[in-house]
Amino acid sequence: MLSKEQNQLLTQTDRGTPMGELMRRYWLPALLSEEIPAPDCPPVQVRLLGEDLVAFRDTNGRIGLLAEACSHRGTSLFYGRNEEGGLRCIYHGWKYDAEGRVLDTPAEPAGSTFRQRVSHPAYPTREVGGMVFAYMGPPEREPLFPAYEWAGLPAEQCYATKAIQDCNYLQGLEGECDSSHLSFLHRSFRFELPSDTAPRYETEDTDFGVRLIALRDAPGGATYVRVSSFILPVACAVPVGRGGTSLDTSEGYEVHFYTPIDDTHSARFDFGFNRRRPIEPDEPVRRRAIGPGYRRFANAANHYLQDREKQRTENYTGMTDFGFGSFLAHDSCATESMGPLYDRSREHLGVSDLGVISVRRRLLDVVQAFQRGEQPAHVVTEPARNVMTHVTSFAEISDAANWRAEYPGLASSAEEARADVPGHARVSVASR
Ligand code: FES
Ligand SMILES: [Fe+2]
């Protein structure tokens, strides 16, 4: 349970709020690369942390992320012309480059230097793994992009999807840090997830966020180990295996981001990668559940397409998942039906909510430290500290008496990780 004040502190992200200022210190996924696929393609509207922006790809392929309202008299640049190295407002022709510089004010007298005195709000971007990340904080504080193991992979080994959520970012994020819902919300009566026994939960604070561990007894005295990572400020690395099994994550995992659109909407970005091979076209199963405008086919307006007969006979929710493993409808129903901004002073948390509790506490600690003027955790500015091998996720069966001995890469900080082997490397037992 959170007090109303704590709930407000964690969930409000407009400019000027503590969490809003904290979020602006990180690289956040803003849109998918596919939304602005080619040079000079149409611009798109992007709303982030309560700010209305427009994204475009210029003639040279550079991405601009600008305030949507033209600096002249406020017309939306979304309707602008993307031409010859800049975006031109349709009202009086002011033209902006990707950095927000005003290149042209054609209605002003020849020789006017007026344009040089205008600076239009623009944010730097990085394109990684099919997503466009934005940094919306003070320019002099721009951090390095974290050196996650997936950040340097070729595009064909990555996939990313986006779906709009009609609720605050924290509701979605908490769902990712909540291992116990797997045995209920996503249960199918046609196959069993390895979840028959009550799991034992452990969490540990790390420099990137919180490591979340769920341990279950497996046959023959073995242990089913599920490790997720909450990554500050809005992501969770989760062990979603390839080929429809939750047991083989040796090839990669997924990272789910919940970027605040505003306080009552968020954009869920699901990123996945394969360490060894290109992604097959039908592998990103979640795509089947998402329609035009990145809206899910199953949503609150149609009761998430719930079918009560299916609920009796096929799966726990009675909702289609548009192909095994998408789960989007289930998660969205669970988190959106709490309301657009859940009041956490009304909840009752149990032992199985340890993950949610730990993640909230870590976020509260980080935002309160930030309010005291401290540098936020997981904002990396020195190349020597940009080590992320300990940010990982997997689900495997361990035969070892002490499962941890098989995963020496689970360090708690970049310093420790630097001296270590990669977190995903299994030292003694091949994954099955
Ligand atoms: S409002 Fe954009 S050029 Fe005048
Ligand atoms: Fe889920």
Side-chain angles (χ1 to χ4, degrees), residues 104-182:
D104 195 14
T105 51
E108 294 299 303
S112 162
T113 58
F114 177 39
R115 65 179 184 85
Q116 291 159 11
R117 299 193 296 279
V118 178
S119 90
H120 187 75
Y123 297 119
T125 59
R126 288 265 198 297
E127 209 166 0
V128 182
M131 295 172 286
V132 179
F133 288 77
Y135 171 73
M136 298 170 68
E140 70 281 5
R141 302 269 186 180
E142 183 182 316
L144 299 173
F145 193 90
Y148 304 124
E149 70 160 306
W150 45 267
L153 283 179
E156 63 270 19
Q157 283 170 251
C158 304
Y159 59 89
T161 59
K162 167 177 154 180
I164 306 296
Q165 304 283 120
D166 291 323
C167 63
N168 185 264
Y169 83 96
L170 190 57
Q171 284 159 234
L173 182 60
E174 285 177 344
E176 302 292 345
C177 307
D178 165 19
S179 207
S180 68
H181 84 263
L182 283 182

Side-chain angles (χ1 to χ4, degrees), residues 71-89:
S71 276
H72 179 216
R73 281 172 50 207
T75 294
S76 168
L77 293 173
F78 167 68
Y79 300 100
R81 300 172 63 95
N82 186 9
E83 54 180 31
E84 293 159 25
L87 187 60
R88 196 183 281 281
C89 178

Side-chain angles (χ1 to χ4, degrees), residues 181-215:
H181 84 263
L182 283 182
S183 318
F184 302 95
L185 185 71
H186 301 313
R187 179 182 292 177
S188 166
F189 304 135
R190 288 171 296 183
F191 59 87
E192 274 305 315
L193 292 168
S195 56
D196 331 86
T197 51
R200 302 179 295 285
Y201 297 103
E202 294 174 11
T203 64
E204 47 202 37
D205 283 0
T206 61
D207 59 357
F208 60 80
V210 181
R211 183 173 294 125
L212 305 146
I213 302 163
L215 303 168

Side-chain angles (χ1 to χ4, degrees), residues 20-320:
E21 293 302 313
L22 177 72
M23 292 253 184
R24 282 168 172 81
R25 294 301 185 87
Y26 297 87
W27 288 100
L28 297 176
L31 65 157
L32 293 179
S33 299
E34 69 183 29
E35 296 182 62
I36 41 172
D40 291 334
C41 66
V44 294
Q45 287 168 306
V46 182
R47 190 165 155 79
L48 283 181
L49 306 175
E51 294 185 36
D52 289 315
L53 308 172
V54 61
F56 71 105
R57 198 183 292 268
D58 77 6
T59 311
N60 299 315
R62 290 184 314 162
I63 293 174
L65 185 63
L66 312 180
E68 184 179 358
C70 179
S71 276
H72 179 216
R73 281 172 50 207
T75 294
S76 168
L77 293 173
F78 167 68
Y79 300 100
R81 300 172 63 95
N82 186 9
E83 54 180 31
E84 293 159 25
L87 187 60
R88 196 183 281 281
C89 178
I90 53 167
Y91 203 0
H92 313 94
W94 283 32
K95 182 174 174 179
Y96 301 88
D97 73 3
E99 278 82 41
R101 279 185 293 258
V102 184
L103 301 176
D104 195 14
T105 51
E108 294 299 303
S112 162
T113 58
F114 177 39
R115 65 179 184 85
Q116 291 159 11
R117 299 193 296 279
V118 178
S119 90
H120 187 75
Y123 297 119
T125 59
R126 288 265 198 297
E127 209 166 0
V128 182
M131 295 172 286
V132 179
F133 288 77
Y135 171 73
M136 298 170 68
E140 70 281 5
R141 302 269 186 180
E142 183 182 316
L144 299 173
F145 193 90
Y148 304 124
E149 70 160 306
W150 45 267
L153 283 179
E156 63 270 19
Q157 283 170 251
C158 304
Y159 59 89
T161 59
K162 167 177 154 180
I164 306 296
Q165 304 283 120
D166 291 323
C167 63
N168 185 264
Y169 83 96
L170 190 57
Q171 284 159 234
L173 182 60
E174 285 177 344
E176 302 292 345
C177 307
D178 165 19
S179 207
S180 68
H181 84 263
L182 283 182
S183 318
F184 302 95
L185 185 71
H186 301 313
R187 179 182 292 177
S188 166
F189 304 135
R190 288 171 296 183
F191 59 87
E192 274 305 315
L193 292 168
S195 56
D196 331 86
T197 51
R200 302 179 295 285
Y201 297 103
E202 294 174 11
T203 64
E204 47 202 37
D205 283 0
T206 61
D207 59 357
F208 60 80
V210 181
R211 183 173 294 125
L212 305 146
I213 302 163
L215 303 168
R216 293 174 168 93
D217 293 333
T223 309
Y224 175 54
V225 184
R226 192 171 191 273
V227 170
S228 309
S229 289
F230 161 59
I231 307 167
L232 284 158
V234 296
C236 197
V238 288
V240 176
R242 307 275 74 77
T245 160
S246 59
L247 274 179
D248 182 7
T249 46
S250 62
E251 293 191 328
Y253 54 85
E254 288 193 350
V255 187
H256 300 173
F257 300 82
Y258 290 81
T259 305
I261 293 174
D262 51 34
D263 291 347
T264 53
H265 301 85
S266 49
R268 171 176 172 166
F269 291 90
D270 292 317
F271 167 82
F273 67 96
N274 192 300
R275 295 183 177 107
R276 303 183 197 133
R277 60 164 177 84
I279 301 296
E280 307 287 341
D282 59 347
E283 245 176 305
V285 286
R286 225 169 265 114
R287 229 166 243 161
R288 298 177 209 156
I290 304 168
Y294 297 100
R295 292 262 156 204
R296 281 168 284 104
F297 293 116
N299 53 55
N302 55 31
H303 287 159
Y304 301 89
L305 302 174
Q306 187 179 45
D307 176 334
R308 298 293 186 179
E309 178 55 25
K310 198 178 164 95
Q311 189 174 33
R312 264 188 290 275
T313 55
E314 276 185 45
N315 66 13
Y316 205 72
T317 58
M319 293 168 197
T320 175

Side-chain angles (χ1 to χ4, degrees), residues 325-363:
S326 78
F327 294 163
L328 260 188
H330 315 163
D331 287 326
S332 304
C333 174
T335 54
E336 289 178 337
S337 64
M338 297 170 181
L341 210 176
Y342 182 55
D343 173 4
R344 292 172 178 75
S345 69
R346 298 168 53 192
E347 67 189 1
H348 300 82
L349 298 182
V351 173
S352 61
D353 296 305
L354 178 66
V356 172
I357 294 166
S358 305
V359 166
R360 281 181 198 173
R361 196 183 44 221
R362 186 85 172 98
L363 266 173

